[in-house]
Amino acid sequence: MAASADVDFFGNTTKIADLRITSVTNYIHAFGNIPTEAGPKPCEPASDLLPLSDLGLLNIVAPNPKIRNGTVRVTVDPSTIDIGFLQLHNFSSLVFPAPLNETSIGDIVMWWTNSSANNKNETIDFLSEVINTCSNTYCRHRNIQIGNPDIVGIGMIVAVVMLLVLAILFSILSFGPVTDIVSRPSRKAHFSFRQAFVGTVDELFSAVYVFAISVMVSTLAHRHGTNSRFDVLMADALSLSCSTTVIMLAATYWAHNRERPHATASVIATVIITVALFATHFHVASKKASPVELACGTGKGLLSVREGDPFDVKIIRFIPFGFASWCLALIGAVFHHPIVHSKRPAKERKIAWWLWKVAESLPCIFGIIGLAVYAGYFFNTWRIMRSTYGKAFTSAEKQWGFGQYLAVFTWWPPIMSFIHLYFAGLKRMLEARLPKGWKVYREHYYHPRYYDGDPNSSVG
């Protein structure tokens, strides 16, 4: 049963064959989101007429990005859209006034067929009106698909949270004053957290780099394989977060391990890809938009069809701020590199020495700041997407995929190595990694990087 103002839109029409679809369009525009006497809002049965599993079938066209309140438009030939008979009959029963609401299935299907063939533009206007007016209803429908679980699924989120926690914990080892304390020899053969942390850095850095480079390369490839702005922006933010952890762990690695060429090469490759991702981020953000995003938007109005990143707020520009923090962390990490560190001033030059320590602390400080900024970006995005898509978004993000299990268990070997190091000690752990016939001998002097005495007097 329609509302009391039905006569203003449907007039005195009593036969379905005489009903113009324009009248239905005007009614949806005025009362689409207002509950009727029959119960549901007209937008609810109207949304069921759309091909919700693939809105791309409607050939949705975005408005001019410069028009703030522009509306999208359907351009498909309505006769090619397969409207369900039951959905069409349900729509007429709940929206049309009496006696039109008692039209049989056959008659209502014939009415729709005639309208699609003889009044094509008016039927297109009707579908466009449903798309623009009823987004609060159909965008939360279970058939709407938004978000790639391999990018923002629960498994990937868990893996990234584990990565962030490990990166923050181990980056503390590169914090200026802490570096010297951690590097001092320990008399403990086992049960030493200090040895466990230092001994795990090499394996953790390798795992973080493999994970990060995989995410970043996948992001570059995924940009050209999807038309979803949300997926591209989330992949970019995920890549920039992973790149930050690589810089944080590289600083810790250089501070406590002998230099190996692969570490420097890994950082250089990470820097190149990160700069490329950031340099093209806003260009890609302005171009991508899937049919679902064109119809539903991402937040207020149709932000997804405008230029720029719809999830970056004006007060805090998350992505530029995070990248700036990454740059400062990278500068600090360079001070830990053995070649640069060999130029470190003597401790007697107090001002220069403390300035060097401050520089060495940048990866830990600005790495954590950068990760916090990206975490804020994810939180803001999640909030906007959940308010726009409801359970259609949250249910998809709760799905576990094959790749997500792999991502989570990437961190299992470093964690197990840390536990083994704590209970067995660094010497036994290193010997367990060597081929048969090889043995580990500990140097019984302070490392020359932190000891002013004569290391040649030591016995190895």
Side-chain angles (χ1 to χ4, degrees), residues 398-427:
K398 293 179 181 178
Q399 297 177 9
W400 283 78
F402 183 83
Q404 297 183 59
Y405 287 104
L406 294 178
V408 170
F409 283 96
T410 299
W411 314 121
W412 187 249
I415 293 174
M416 295 304 296
S417 293
F418 178 87
I419 296 174
H420 188 185
L421 277 163
Y422 177 75
F423 288 101
L426 188 57
K427 182 175 182 295

Side-chain angles (χ1 to χ4, degrees), residues 312-329:
D312 236 344
V313 297
K314 293 182 179 180
I315 299 177
I316 300 178
R317 299 300 302 273
F318 290 108
I319 299 300
F321 192 8
F323 182 75
S325 299
W326 176 87
C327 291
L328 292 172

Side-chain angles (χ1 to χ4, degrees), residues 148 151 247 273 365 374:
N148 187 338
I151 298 176
I247 301 304
I273 298 177
I365 296 173
Y374 291 127

Side-chain angles (χ1 to χ4, degrees), residues 5-16:
D6 290 342
V7 67
D8 296 333
F9 298 93
F10 297 97
N12 296 317
T13 304
T14 57
K15 295 181 179 180
I16 191 66

Side-chain angles (χ1 to χ4, degrees), residues 21-40:
I21 197 169
T22 301
S23 301
V24 185
T25 302
N26 294 333
Y27 182 80
I28 292 295
H29 178 77
F31 296 101
N33 292 300
I34 300 176
T36 63
E37 296 177 7

Side-chain angles (χ1 to χ4, degrees), residues 166 169-170 192-201 203 412-425 429 433:
L166 290 172
L169 286 176
F170 280 81
S192 171
F193 280 109
R194 195 164 30 149
Q195 288 189 23
F197 272 105
V198 172
T200 309
V201 169
E203 187 170 349
W412 187 249
I415 293 174
M416 295 304 296
S417 293
F418 178 87
I419 296 174
H420 188 185
L421 277 163
Y422 177 75
F423 288 101
M429 178 66 176
R433 294 179 177 179

